[in-house]
Amino acid sequence: MNALPVLPDSSAPTPLLVDGWSRFVAARTSAEFCDAWLTVLRDKFPLIVQAAILVESSDGQNYVPIAVWPQANSDMARMGEAVQRALTDRRVVVQPCAEPAGLWHVAAPLAVHDRIAGSVVLELTANDEMLPGLLRELHWGSAWLSNLFIRREHDAALAASVRSLGVLEAIAIALRHERFQQALFDLSNELRRRFAGMRVAIGLMRHGEVKLTALSEAATFEKSSPLVQAYSAAMNEACDLAQPVEAAAPEHDAPDSFRAHTALLQRTGAGRLLSLPITQQAKCIAVVTIEREAPAPFGEEERKWLETFGALLAPVIAQRVDAERGSWQRLRDEGRRFLAALLGPRHLLWKAGALAAALVLALLVFLPVSYRVSAKTVTEGETQRVAAAPFEGFLAASFVRAGDIVAKGQPLAQLDDHDLRVERAKWASERDQYDNKLREAMAGHDQTAMQVVGAQLREAQAQLDLLDDKLSRVKLLAPYDGVVVTGDLSQQVGTPVEAGKKLFEIAPLHSYRIILQVDERDIGQVRAGQSGELVMTGLAGEPMPFTIAKIMPVATAQDGHNFYRVEARLKQDSPLLLPGMEGIGKIGAGDRKLGWVLLHSLFDWLRLNLWSWGL
């Protein structure tokens, strides 16, 4: 509960006590209230030698005196130990003074909502009889100080709330419009109204210099006019000083060193002005200048409002300015930031990355490497012969299949000759009959019969010759020593075959040609006579050199791409090589720069597409 200071027990109060109580009742400030409270306490307890009331500083880091009695002096430092114990232990501390002897220190913490907001410390002469009463009076009377601190915090919170609401209203104006220029114009008019100013100007940092961007009650202005130049000079002066600059006209105040602000005051006729730099990440991005006709200085509450406003406005300006940059401006800013990180201090990773990129670029541009065209490769025999069915018939037997080595004249397969032999016997019988008829006609000298029977005899003989020829070709023979490349009839015995049907394909041994399928995008790099190396799938550990022999001028489509057939000859035959083997061949196309080898396909594609688009 709140307790009033107790007056001494006498019929009439002393004049000093009445004076202290009058000051206590009439106090208007916290300092006056605390000073009167100490006076009343000292008047009631004369044993108090000196006293002080400490309150928490604005930054919350330490405690500073708000009132002292009788006056501040160096002897008060010896009361610090008692104050420290009271604040740490959160209780009243009574302890003797080490030097000079005979003095005692009393310190009581002042709590506000479970928080220590200050302390009362007294230095007094030893008096065992009056000490309990002093402690009781200190306990009761400290409630006045606690109420004072609560009221101060409430007033500060209320003022901060009002200030924050006003700042948010002003920030909302800066966010209201789509175009930032219009938002700044409305914001300058709002600031002029709020501070009862004569004029408010807002400038933005552009290319290292603050330029006037918005002027209250002036939607447009001439950027090269002397007035605008004066505003820009004053704003740059505040930006260079990196602190708020308040200046008054010379006739209202003593001249100061702010020359640009003094020149602006003389040009506009204002009594006082304040320039507030708006900073973002320790960099000045804008300046707000407020002019007043009256020479009265800006109050503490107004400065706090402006500081809060500047802290909240800084990110808004940075984001809006960044959002309204053009494409070239964005590119230029990013380039400058990159160069600053690359050439300026710190940013070791950027520098290492740039050095690595420069090294890679140098290798791409200057390092020569051997360029080789890769192509899918297959081996074929130098000459390939096809063993086809000589006539229609049925397959009687198959003696070989793909992969078998055959000798010249070796049977490959045999057709069924039963029907041929039956038909031959028939035509042989008819031939004998026509021969007998011819003899009879010749004996009877019948010329007509001789001609008719002779023709029939010749027909029968021709049929016999044809059948004998077919019978001689019933067995398919190997044309030369080689290997069967294709053909496996072991599962088709007894099935009919058509005349001319390919049954086997035979290639000679140790005489091959290499067929490379070169993509049309790389065919321009291939010339006859170029050398290369071939690695077959089954012989991956043995590269075989070859030479380009011929480039076929006809392309074939495979898997959505066009390929040219390129023939090559092995420089040295390999006994392990077989027809039909596949692999990868690389054709040496000379030395090229590493960058060209890696990127020429991309550049060719870009050129082709740009050409197709008409560029």
Side-chain angles (χ1 to χ4, degrees):
M1 59 177 294
N2 298 339
L4 295 175
V6 179
L7 299 176
D9 294 334
S10 60
S11 58
T14 63
L16 289 176
L17 188 60
V18 172
D19 180 65
W21 179 256
S22 301
R23 290 169 51 201
F24 181 77
V25 173
R28 291 293 179 267
T29 65
S30 299
E32 293 177 357
F33 185 90
C34 293
D35 185 70
W37 189 89
L38 284 179
T39 301
V40 172
L41 185 64
R42 168 63 180 79
D43 291 343
K44 186 172 183 180
F45 297 96
L47 61 111
I48 297 176
V49 177
Q50 56 184 356
I53 299 177
L54 307 178
V55 296
E56 192 176 19
S57 61
S58 58
D59 57 5
Q61 300 297 322
N62 52 14
Y63 292 86
V64 296
I66 189 174
V68 295
W69 187 91
Q71 61 184 3
N73 56 72
S74 58
D75 294 339
M76 286 188 171
R78 58 181 177 238
M79 298 188 294
E81 181 181 354
V83 173
Q84 185 65 34
R85 287 186 57 191
L87 295 175
T88 303
D89 299 341
R90 302 173 67 92
R91 64 181 178 83
V92 177
V93 173
V94 179
Q95 65 181 27
C97 179
E99 185 179 354
L103 296 179
W104 286 74
H105 292 158
V106 177
L110 302 175
V112 175
H113 302 307
D114 296 331
R115 181 179 63 84
I116 302 300
S119 175
V120 177
V121 59
L122 308 174
E123 186 177 72
L124 46 89
T125 59
N127 190 327
D128 296 338
E129 296 179 357
M130 297 188 65
L131 184 59
L134 174 64
L135 294 178
R136 184 172 58 253
E137 191 70 26
L138 186 62
H139 176 71
W140 291 346
S142 62
W144 287 97
L145 299 179
S146 298
N147 287 341
L148 171 66
F149 294 155
I150 292 174
R151 187 170 62 253
R152 289 181 62 193
E153 290 192 355
H154 177 269
D155 294 343
L158 182 61
S161 176
V162 174
R163 181 168 63 250
S164 299
L165 181 61
V167 170
L168 291 177
E169 290 177 353
I171 295 298
I173 294 176
L175 299 172
R176 182 181 303 167
H177 296 279
E178 181 178 358
R179 294 185 65 254
F180 192 42
Q181 177 66 40
Q182 181 63 36
L184 291 179
F185 175 69
D186 289 352
L187 181 61
S188 63
N189 289 326
E190 171 65 18
L191 293 177
R192 187 190 67 81
R193 181 194 64 78
R194 179 174 295 274
F195 289 94
M198 173 179 163
R199 191 179 294 109
V200 173
I202 301 177
L204 300 181
M205 177 68 70
R206 300 185 186 277
H207 309 299
E209 186 178 358
V210 181
K211 299 290 186 181
L212 181 63
T213 306
L215 195 61
S216 61
E217 298 184 344
T220 60
F221 50 83
E222 182 61 39
K223 296 182 179 180
S224 59
S225 65
L227 179 61
V228 172
Q229 297 297 327
Y231 273 113
S232 297
M235 291 178 176
N236 281 285
E237 185 177 57
C239 185
D240 293 338
L241 295 174
Q243 64 180 13
V245 174
E246 184 174 356
E251 61 270 17
H252 300 299
D253 201 353
D256 49 38
S257 58
F258 307 127
R259 297 181 180 179
H261 285 75
T262 303
L264 178 60
L265 287 170
Q266 293 175 350
R267 183 171 293 276
T268 60
R272 184 173 291 270
L273 63 80
L274 173 67
S275 291
L276 175 69
I278 308 298
T279 59
Q280 175 78 353
Q281 297 180 352
K283 294 173 58 178
C284 180
I285 60 174
V287 176
V288 176
T289 299
I290 303 175
E291 295 179 79
R292 279 180 174 174
E293 187 173 358
F298 287 82
E300 184 66 22
E301 186 62 28
E302 292 176 323
R303 283 180 169 271
K304 289 183 178 180
W305 193 98
L306 288 173
E307 289 177 1
T308 306
F309 170 75
L312 294 180
L313 183 64
V316 174
I317 292 178
Q319 293 177 5
R320 294 297 298 268
V321 170
D322 183 73
E324 292 190 359
R325 291 182 303 168
S327 299
W328 288 109
Q329 180 66 28
R330 292 174 184 271
L331 183 61
R332 183 172 58 184
D333 292 344
E334 291 298 326
R336 287 179 176 177
R337 187 170 65 177
F338 174 75
L339 290 177
L342 187 62
L343 303 178
R346 300 185 300 275
H347 302 288
L348 183 60
L349 291 179
W350 281 89
K351 293 177 173 61
L355 181 61
L359 181 60
V360 171
L361 182 61
L363 292 176
L364 292 176
V365 174
F366 299 107
L367 180 63
V369 294
S370 178
Y371 175 59
R372 298 190 295 178
V373 177
S374 297
K376 182 180 178 181
T377 305
V378 64
T379 59
E380 294 181 355
E382 184 70 24
T383 58
Q384 293 188 4
R385 294 284 296 274
V386 174
F391 49 83
E392 291 184 0
F394 293 89
L395 183 65
S398 178
F399 305 115
V400 297
R401 56 184 176 179
D404 290 345
I405 306 298
V406 297
K408 182 177 181 181
Q410 178 180 339
L412 305 177
Q414 182 175 344
L415 301 180
D416 188 5
D417 60 352
H418 178 268
D419 292 342
L420 293 177
R421 292 185 183 280
V422 171
E423 189 175 0
R424 186 183 185 286
K426 170 190 171 184
W427 283 105
S429 176
E430 289 185 3
R431 183 195 63 178
D432 292 342
Q433 291 177 11
Y434 291 144
D435 184 59
N436 291 334
K437 288 182 182 180
L438 180 59
R439 290 178 185 275
E440 292 176 358
M442 290 177 64
H445 300 285
D446 187 352
Q447 295 293 330
T448 301
M450 290 172 59
Q451 292 180 359
V452 173
V453 173
Q456 292 174 341
L457 178 61
R458 289 192 296 272
E459 180 186 4
Q461 186 61 45
Q463 290 293 340
L464 283 173
D465 294 339
L466 178 60
L467 291 173
D468 289 338
D469 182 65
K470 287 185 177 180
L471 287 171
S472 67
R473 290 184 290 153
V474 167
K475 288 187 177 181
L476 281 69
L477 305 178
Y480 45 71
D481 296 342
V483 60
V484 179
V485 179
T486 60
D488 185 1
L489 306 178
S490 60
Q491 304 298 324
Q492 301 180 22
V493 175
T495 59
V497 294
E498 299 177 355
K501 179 182 178 181
K502 183 176 71 171
L503 302 180
F504 298 98
E505 191 172 353
I506 303 171
L509 289 172
H510 312 307
S511 180
Y512 305 106
R513 59 184 175 183
I514 308 301
I515 304 301
L516 297 97
Q517 298 177 353
V518 180
D519 194 291
E520 63 177 350
R521 292 171 295 184
D522 297 324
I523 194 64
Q525 307 295 329
V526 180
R527 300 286 185 274
Q530 290 176 332
S531 300
E533 287 185 334
L534 168 67
V535 175
M536 307 308 296
T537 304
L539 306 171
E542 299 183 10
M544 293 174 284
F546 63 83
T547 303
I548 300 297
K550 185 178 182 181
I551 301 175
M552 305 300 292
V554 179
T556 58
Q558 295 182 12
D559 301 329
H561 295 279
N562 291 332
F563 296 92
Y564 282 86
R565 180 183 174 95
V566 176
E567 294 185 6
R569 306 286 182 185
L570 289 175
K571 294 183 178 180
Q572 184 177 0
D573 294 333
S574 173
L576 301 177
L577 199 63
L578 295 175
M581 281 188 171
E582 295 184 352
I584 300 296
K586 292 184 178 291
I587 307 170
D591 290 340
R592 299 286 193 279
K593 295 299 186 289
L594 179 60
W596 185 92
V597 173
L598 297 177
L599 303 175
H600 77 279
S601 298
L602 175 62
F603 291 152
D604 292 342
W605 179 84
L606 287 175
R607 281 195 294 267
L608 182 61
N609 282 274
L610 291 175
W611 173 259
S612 65
W613 297 335
L615 300 178

